[in-house]
Amino acid sequence: MKILSRNEGIITNWEVYHNIHLIKTRENSLKGKANNEENKLNGKEEVVEGKEEQKKENVSNSDEDSRVPKELKMVRLFENKVYEYLLQTKIDTVSPQDVKKIGLAVKPYDLTKGETLQILNLRPKSVSALSVIVEEIADRLDSEQTEQLLEDIQI
């Protein structure tokens, strides 16, 4: 197999969060469907006050875990750690429109891709935080432009 075009771009924390979230949502949905089907086949449904509820069983995950390759377990562990970190950064409160807004807001300031990425990821709230991200900010932007940039990137 020959790779014709390799994706060499950088991605934001929001994109990483969004993709992991989609994977987790799909996995949970598939697990739920599989569990429902298995319970139906095993006759483990009961009707309580007109509502169908599944009996909850304390099933050991060891049977399921033994079928998962070690490499996949490591990937899932890494994925979970990254997801936990991203949740701590409150990235789950950022919408696609917010990402687009910030991306458009930084265009007039002629920032590098790396600086733009860091602004999207860190969402600085002060001039000092912004000055750590934007190299030689005092030479590139005057104080009014710096304040305007800070204002433009707030969501």
Side-chain angles (χ1 to χ4, degrees):
M1 180 160 99
K2 185 175 181 180
I3 298 173
L4 299 176
S5 177
R6 200 169 79 187
N7 185 356
E8 296 178 357
I10 54 178
I11 61 174
T12 64
N13 286 354
W14 184 86
E15 292 167 307
V16 173
Y17 164 79
H18 181 69
N19 284 303
I20 293 174
H21 185 73
L22 285 175
I23 290 167
K24 286 183 171 295
T25 302
R26 279 192 205 122
E27 283 178 353
N28 289 338
S29 175
L30 291 174
K31 276 183 185 177
K33 286 180 183 178
N35 287 341
N36 285 343
E37 291 301 317
E38 185 176 321
N39 287 339
K40 284 180 183 178
L41 289 174
N42 293 332
K44 292 182 181 174
E45 284 189 25
E46 58 182 37
V47 177
V48 178
E49 298 177 354
K51 294 182 182 180
E52 291 184 17
E53 292 187 9
Q54 295 178 356
K55 288 185 179 178
K56 294 183 181 179
E57 297 181 3
N58 293 328
V59 177
S60 171
N61 287 336
S62 61
D63 292 339
E64 185 178 317
D65 287 346
S66 65
R67 293 179 290 204
V68 177
K70 182 180 179 183
E71 293 81 11
L72 185 55
K73 287 179 189 176
M74 294 302 292
V75 168
R76 285 184 178 167
L77 176 65
F78 177 73
E79 180 183 280
N80 287 333
K81 293 289 185 188
V82 169
Y83 191 72
E84 288 172 17
Y85 164 75
L86 292 173
L87 286 175
Q88 290 173 1
T89 67
K90 306 282 189 223
I91 198 73
D92 56 327
T93 63
V94 178
S95 71
Q97 293 80 15
D98 293 334
V99 173
K100 191 172 189 175
K101 176 190 168 223
I102 293 171
L104 292 173
V106 300
K107 283 214 185 277
Y109 299 98
D110 196 32
L111 301 176
T112 66
K113 287 181 182 181
E115 292 166 340
T116 302
L117 178 74
Q118 291 291 39
I119 287 172
L120 282 164
N121 287 345
L122 301 175
R123 299 180 316 277
K125 306 236 183 284
S126 67
V127 173
S128 59
L130 186 62
S131 66
V132 172
I133 296 170
V134 180
E135 200 170 316
E136 299 175 359
I137 193 168
D139 295 338
R140 295 168 60 192
L141 304 174
D142 61 32
S143 62
E144 188 176 298
Q145 288 175 313
T146 303
E147 290 294 334
Q148 185 59 48
L149 175 58
L150 265 178
E151 186 180 312
D152 290 347
I153 62 174
Q154 299 311 309
I155 50 174

